[in-house]
Structures are given as structure tokens and as C-alpha cells.
Amino acid sequence: IGLLTGSPWDTLNQAIWDVYSTKAQKESTYELKINLWRHIFLFIRKCLNSYGLFMVGSTMSGFGLDSSDVDMCLLTKPFTNDPRLDALHHLNTVRQLFVRYGVAVESELILAKVPILKFREKDSGCEVDLNCNNSVGIRNTHLLFSYSKLDWRVRPLVVMVKIWAQINNINDAKNMTVSSYSFALMVIHFLQCGVTPPVLPCLHGLVPDKFNSDSEHQTMDVQEEIPAIKDFRSDNTNCLGELLLGFLRYYACFDYNRCAVSVRAGCRLPVEECRFAKAPKNDPNQWKHLCIEEPFDFTNTARSVFDADKFKFIRDVVAQSYRELERTKMLGSILPVQLH
Ligand code: ATP
Ligand code: MG
């Protein structure tokens, strides 16, 4: 793959590749998770007629870590006029069945805006987050999967950024920092418009019949390969080390007051444009501090960062990591604890 070229970036490139090869989801883990999905799907279908179950998130997108949880989406027919009430009803039913038949060892129903049934499956020991009818996750997983396939550097960079963010304590939406999904969008956006020439195109522009905000375009296969983009080749020749440094530089200098990250548009957008976008789920109050446009439903995926001090902490980590990596070109300088 041309990592060792006798250039000053060799050590950093190799270190990023080592992190990627040791931390990324292994093929055997992927198979274990697929078997888990099959088991749960057959169980749910037997007990609750006509329910669909999709595997989403990093297990399928190509950005999984070996330690990542499993995200699933249960699709059901409308039951009441209130989608949240429906979700609570269905997830509660599933939870009771899991307890009765011993499918899950631990389970908890999280009563968030998008309710989640969290459980640990008995045989595999995997942690699963199950939502109900949050179908935007099916579409955006397909989008992420498609971006991951466009260039060999995308997966190692996203995995590296996730590990860097975890170790620096800025990758936990529950703790008012940034979700893994948002980091994946930030990397893709950087590769679209933060480097010249770009590493990634804008898929909403390139294949609008597959990727647009019209909810009629629900995919049934999150790993469906799109023939129209099979032959895409980027003219960018930057190595992994240059791209990681470029990512940190881009977000250390980003104008957060005025700009939003948009993978859908493939460029920065004025925050005001996102704040007042006409979309059913968009709430103008979500657009504060870090603004990352969800490519299908136009919400802010970084709305978890609503605290000014947390936002400052995140910016400080980015800025300091940029300075350190620029100075040393050593991965250890931006990972405060040893990797195991
Ligand atoms: P990890 O490897 O850390 O589990 P992940 O890629 O699975 O990372 P999560 O942040 O756990 O990322 O999100 C799981 C999936 O849920 C995403 O891939 C996406 O499909 C969906 N998702 C998460 N946050 C949002 C959001 N704000 N809007 C829409 N979909 C989201
Ligand atoms: Mg996940």
C-alpha cells in the first residue's frame, strides 16, 4: 500500500496503519455480529409477525472498531399517531420477550427522544443498541459505507480519529461531547473540501437518485455497492499522516460561529442556512457551538455538544493535538495514554 516511501511521514503513516490494523473491526467479529443479527431477527420474526430488523452503524459502515457496539433498527408498521409512543411500545414488547426467553442478560429501555433498547446478548456477549423506526440510520449507514469504499485512506483515517477522540475524552455524546457518527461525518467532509485535490467527491451530487433527503429512497441493503461510483479515483496523493495532520488543522482553524459541516453539500454551509432549513425534525435551537448537518434529515448531529465549556474543551483538544502533531509528527504526542 506504499506506506514506506523513505519520506519524513513514514513513521507516522506506519503508526496510523498499526492502530488501524489492531483496532478496526476484525472479519471474525463482523461474522459474529451478523450471526447475532440473524439470531435476533429470527427470534423477533417468530414472536412478532412482520417486523424488519436492520443492522446499522459502524458494524456495517466500515468504520467499526473491534470493541464497537452493535446498532440495530427495528422497522414496524405505525401503531398509533405518535412515532415515539410506537417505539416505546414495540421496544418494551421486545424487552419483555428477551427477558422471558433469556435472549438478553442485561437490558435497559432508554427513554430519549429516539428511544433505545440497550441489551447484552447472552451467547455473543455483544452490547446492542436497538432503536425502532429511526430509518434515517439505515440511509446514513449506506452513505457512510459508500464513502468508505471510495478510497483506501477513508477507513484508516476514521478509525484513527475515533481512537484519538476516545483517548482524549471527546467521543461520548452522553457526556456532551461528540458521537462517533459525527466524527465520521467530520472526516468525510474534510476529505471532500479540506484538501486539494479532494480525496472524496460529494455523493449527494454524484448519485442523487441514491442519496437525497426524499424518504421514499429507503435502501434495503446498507452495503449495496453503487456501480456509478465504482471507477472513482481521487487525484490526491497525500499520505495518511498528512491527512491526519490536515484534519486537525482544518478543525483547529474552522469558523465554528459561522460555518456548519455538510457532507450532503460537500462544503461548509452558513450556520444560519442550516438553522432555518425547512425539515420536519429540524429545531433551530439545536444549531449551537458545533454544527454538523445530518445528510438526510437536516438535524444537527452534534447537538449533544450544548455546553459552552465542553465545546471549549473539545476545541482545545483539537488545537493542542494539531500543534503537537505538527511539531513532532509522532502519533504518541496526540494520544495521552498508551494504546493496548
Ligand atoms: P461506534 O463504533 O463508536 O459504535 P458508530 O459508527 O456505530 O460508532 P454511533 O455514533 O454509535 O456510531 O451511531 C450509530 C449509528 O446511528 C450511525 O452510524 C448512524 O446510522 C446512526 N446515528 C447516530 N447518531 C445519529 C444522528 N444524530 N442522526 C442520525 N443518525 C444517527
Ligand atoms: Mg455503534
Side-chain angles (χ1 to χ4, degrees):
I1 53 159
L3 283 169
L4 297 172
T5 57
S7 92
W9 295 99
D10 278 357
T11 311
L12 181 57
N13 289 340
Q14 188 64 56
I16 297 171
W17 189 259
D18 288 347
V19 168
Y20 172 62
S21 7
T22 50
K23 296 288 177 183
Q25 174 173 272
K26 294 183 178 51
E27 190 58 33
S28 56
T29 308
Y30 174 75
E31 274 158 25
L32 179 93
K33 290 175 176 174
I34 292 287
N35 280 333
L36 160 69
W37 164 79
R38 193 171 294 127
H39 172 60
I40 302 279
F41 180 47
L42 291 176
F43 176 82
I44 286 181
R45 214 172 48 174
K46 213 162 52 189
C47 298
L48 306 164
N49 209 8
S50 86
Y51 281 15
L53 186 70
F54 282 76
M55 186 107 102
V56 295
S58 66
T59 307
M60 305 306 276
S61 65
F63 301 143
L65 306 184
D66 218 47
S67 56
S68 291
D69 65 357
V70 181
D71 300 286
M72 291 187 197
C73 171
L74 182 70
L75 283 189
T76 68
K77 293 197 183 108
F79 190 61
T80 67
N81 288 330
D82 180 346
R84 185 168 179 274
L85 211 61
D86 273 16
L88 286 170
H89 167 79
H90 292 306
L91 293 177
N92 201 32
T93 307
V94 171
R95 185 185 187 190
Q96 284 171 5
L97 288 168
F98 281 178
V99 171
R100 189 182 319 152
Y101 293 99
V103 173
V105 269
E106 300 150 23
S107 69
E108 182 191 0
L109 187 57
I110 300 189
L111 308 173
K113 215 174 200 173
V114 177
I116 304 257
L117 176 63
K118 253 186 191 303
F119 64 93
R120 187 175 297 282
E121 197 266 337
K122 187 166 91 1
D123 296 333
S124 63
C126 284
E127 171 94 29
V128 183
D129 274 6
L130 176 67
N131 72 60
C132 182
N133 294 331
N134 191 31
S135 57
V136 69
I138 302 173
R139 311 185 70 208
N140 61 34
T141 298
H142 184 217
L143 182 74
L144 260 46
F145 170 79
S146 306
Y147 277 115
S148 82
K149 287 284 182 183
L150 280 169
D151 189 281
W152 71 269
R153 294 164 289 188
V154 184
R155 287 183 65 184
L157 260 185
V158 173
V159 166
M160 184 63 244
V161 166
K162 277 168 69 166
I163 297 282
W164 159 79
Q166 265 179 22
I167 292 185
N168 283 281
N169 296 315
I170 56 169
N171 175 209
D172 184 4
K174 288 191 295 304
N175 193 24
M176 295 185 280
T177 57
V178 187
S179 70
S180 297
Y181 177 52
S182 296
F183 275 117
L185 292 175
M186 287 170 75
V187 173
I188 292 168
H189 166 84
F190 159 70
L191 296 174
Q192 286 174 323
C193 70
V195 271
T196 321
V199 173
L200 290 175
C202 169
L203 287 180
H204 276 65
L206 209 61
V207 266
D209 56 323
K210 284 281 172 201
F211 301 112
N212 64 54
S213 55
D214 179 352
S215 60
E216 294 297 301
H217 284 78
Q218 185 67 60
T219 179
M220 296 308 281
D221 175 7
V222 297
Q223 295 189 333
E224 178 200 4
E225 304 228 9
I226 297 168
I229 58 174
K230 228 176 99 230
D231 296 326
F232 172 83
R233 292 281 175 278
S234 166
D235 292 329
N236 182 297
T237 57
N238 288 165
C239 62
L240 289 175
E242 287 171 298
L243 292 174
L244 180 62
L245 184 63
F247 169 85
L248 293 171
R249 185 192 302 119
Y250 184 78
Y251 287 106
C253 303
F254 197 85
D255 185 353
Y256 294 93
N257 285 330
R258 279 195 232 144
C259 298
V261 167
S262 175
V263 164
R264 175 189 61 83
C267 62
R268 287 178 292 277
L269 290 179
V271 171
E272 290 309 295
E273 196 177 306
C274 297
R275 182 170 287 136
F276 296 109
K278 285 200 173 48
K281 290 193 180 165
N282 188 26
D283 171 357
N285 300 316
Q286 288 177 354
W287 298 89
K288 206 176 160 184
H289 305 312
L290 178 57
C291 295
I292 304 175
E293 183 194 55
E294 207 299 318
F296 297 98
D297 72 10
F298 299 88
T299 53
N300 179 12
T301 71
R303 58 187 176 273
S304 54
V305 188
F306 56 78
D307 178 79
D309 290 339
K310 285 280 176 181
F311 179 52
K312 183 174 178 310
F313 175 71
I314 296 161
R315 289 189 69 172
D316 287 349
V317 168
V318 175
Q320 196 188 346
S321 293
Y322 168 54
R323 282 195 301 272
E324 285 302 305
L325 195 65
E326 167 81 76
R327 187 174 65 81
T328 64
K329 307 280 187 298
M330 300 295 284
L331 195 57
S333 68
I334 62 167
L335 304 177
V337 295
Q338 204 78 37
L339 282 174
H340 295 292

